[in-house]
Amino acid sequence: MQRASAVFALVVLALAACGTKKAGPDGGAGGNGGAGATGNGGAGATDNGGAGGAHGTGVAGQGAAGTGVAGQGAAGSADGGGSGAAGGAGAGATGGVAGAGAPGGAGAGPSGSGGVGTAGTGGGAGGAGPVHARCVDPLRLEFVNGEATVSDDTSRATDEFPTLTCADGDGALQGGQIYYRFTARPGREYAFRVSSPAASSFSPVVFYVFPAGAPCTVDAIQTACRSDGVTGTRPTKTLSTTLTPFAPRDPGDYIVGVDRNITRGSPYTLTIFEYCGSSGGTDCKVKGCDLSLGQWCTGDTLSACNVDGTATVTTDCAMTGKVCHRGACVASVVDLIGNTWPTSPAMDASAPGATLLNFFEVTTSRTITEIVIIMVQRRAFALDWRIFEATNQSGPYQTIFSTRTMSGGGGEASSETTGPIQVPIVAGRFYAIGVALPTGANYYLQQQAEKPLPLEVSFGRLTSAAVLPSASSTSTVDYPAPGTFVIAQRVTTKL
């Protein structure tokens, strides 16, 4: 009986020993991660069974956010206890992007299984950059391959000039505005596009351009942005396919203001393109598109307009005997010269008559097929039509064509015409086109208050006009200084 009791006691002790296995010592707690040089949190160091190290706080560097790094769970205790703690989320620095939380580590004990660390949470939200809402503090933009693009939101800005308006009739721009600065280089042209899906056609996001050297005042900004591209340009509505051209008279720095005509702000994207002529370059784009049309004519070649103002050649109009005009292949082109300008009071040609001439620089070879002038004459008389040619603008201009017709009479307006003619004009040469009137004939001038010349025409440019005090059949004329008038003409040309 005593021996049986002893055996039973030994069994109990053995079972107790099996249930009370001694746990291994826990590792010490991991140290904190160091601060990241560009905002990244350092990885937490851990010991056996210890908690993952805490994340380092992101330091604001170049506006980047701190990134939280997860602690790596190390080996669990001998009985499988403990799990690696997760790395904390990095704090977002000003202007940075959100830091990403990393997953926690998994620990494994030598005789048990460590728990799985909890995944780190998302990083801190990226902070917004400074708001350049004052004219004296624009954000500098640099071109990369002929393009500069920036996105922002006018709701972040306050209104600096509540009475500013760059377009007549559109009212004051009452929203907050953000300013940008770029350098316009000599010989370069530029185009702007602003898009804002959140805005409507009734309250679009607009932009205006003015010299950086201009005073930051309403009057100075309005003077520039109403100059029709000389020192600035007007607002452009937010049509993503619309580009507004800008060929400043003077190179240098210019400021672009992005604004809105209501107080409510809107997100937007502003893009500026830089063009450097037909040959192009490595740091600019080749302008190949009429920015107000969907297609563009280069000589008689028709091209499709790309969204960045470059072009893709589609058709050679000359192959079908046609000319390219305003984005289409056509059989002939009619240029209406001075038809929208104010008309002077009637004038009388004094003795010995008068010769009315417009002077042209031809850039695309054509054939003139008709010349028309609207006249009101009291009686019928002879009209001597003239075309002169020169190899340089200053002249002398030599007669290459003349014909005589009879005018209408009776004091009624009539379209006086050469009738069908065939007079070639050559690219690179200069021409004077008009008609000689006898003494007592009436004529009119189309006048502007300021010098409007040169004027673009389909075959080149109108550079000057003259009323010569003679109706004689002189064989040469000289080039006159440009004035504030042109002769109203309708010139028809074909290939």
Side-chain angles (χ1 to χ4, degrees), residues 28-36 40-47 51-57 69-72 85-88:
N32 288 336
N40 289 333
T46 62
D47 202 346
H55 74 285
T57 300
V69 179
Q72 178 65 44

Side-chain angles (χ1 to χ4, degrees), residues 85-363:
T94 300
V97 297
S111 59
S113 176
V116 178
T118 305
T121 58
V131 181
H132 296 268
R134 293 296 175 264
C135 172
V136 297
D137 180 36
L139 175 65
R140 164 67 70 174
L141 298 181
E142 300 293 346
F143 291 97
V144 178
N145 296 326
E147 185 173 332
T149 300
V150 64
S151 297
D152 211 319
D153 193 322
T154 58
S155 63
R156 300 201 307 125
T158 56
D159 192 8
E160 183 176 24
F161 300 114
T163 61
L164 176 66
T165 173
C166 279
D168 295 333
D170 281 356
L173 298 172
Q174 304 173 30
Q177 70 289 304
I178 299 179
Y179 297 101
Y180 303 95
R181 182 173 183 149
F182 74 98
T183 299
R185 295 187 284 177
R188 302 293 173 93
E189 295 183 23
Y190 299 84
F192 305 88
R193 180 176 64 226
V194 60
S195 58
S196 178
S200 69
S201 59
F202 298 102
S203 56
V205 173
V206 298
F207 71 83
Y208 41 87
V209 182
F210 56 95
C216 285
T217 64
V218 170
D219 288 343
I221 295 174
Q222 286 183 165
T223 298
C225 69
R226 293 180 178 182
S227 70
D228 293 330
V230 178
T231 59
T233 191
R234 295 170 181 263
T236 295
K237 294 186 177 181
T238 52
L239 298 176
S240 60
T241 58
T242 298
L243 296 179
T244 298
F246 180 51
R249 178 187 61 194
D250 302 315
D253 279 15
Y254 287 82
I255 294 176
V256 184
V258 180
D259 210 326
R260 200 176 183 190
N261 60 0
I262 61 174
T263 58
R264 183 179 178 180
S266 175
Y268 64 86
T269 296
L270 169 69
T271 305
I272 308 175
F273 299 107
E274 183 180 44
Y275 307 104
C276 51
S278 59
S279 60
T282 59
D283 61 344
C284 57
K285 295 181 179 293
V286 177
K287 181 182 177 183
C289 184
D290 185 332
L291 302 180
S292 64
L293 300 172
Q295 298 189 106
W296 164 264
C297 293
T298 303
D300 287 318
T301 301
L302 176 64
S303 299
C305 181
N306 300 321
V307 295
D308 62 355
T310 60
T312 302
V313 174
T314 58
T315 307
D316 183 356
C317 298
M319 295 296 291
T320 58
K322 295 183 178 181
V323 299
C324 192
H325 179 61
R326 296 188 64 82
C329 293
V330 296
S332 62
V333 179
V334 177
D335 284 289
L336 301 176
I337 298 167
N339 65 312
T340 61
W341 293 14
T343 303
S344 70
M347 303 180 197
D348 289 333
S350 57
T355 300
L356 315 179
L357 295 173
N358 284 327
F359 288 75
F360 298 89
E361 173 188 351
V362 174
T363 58

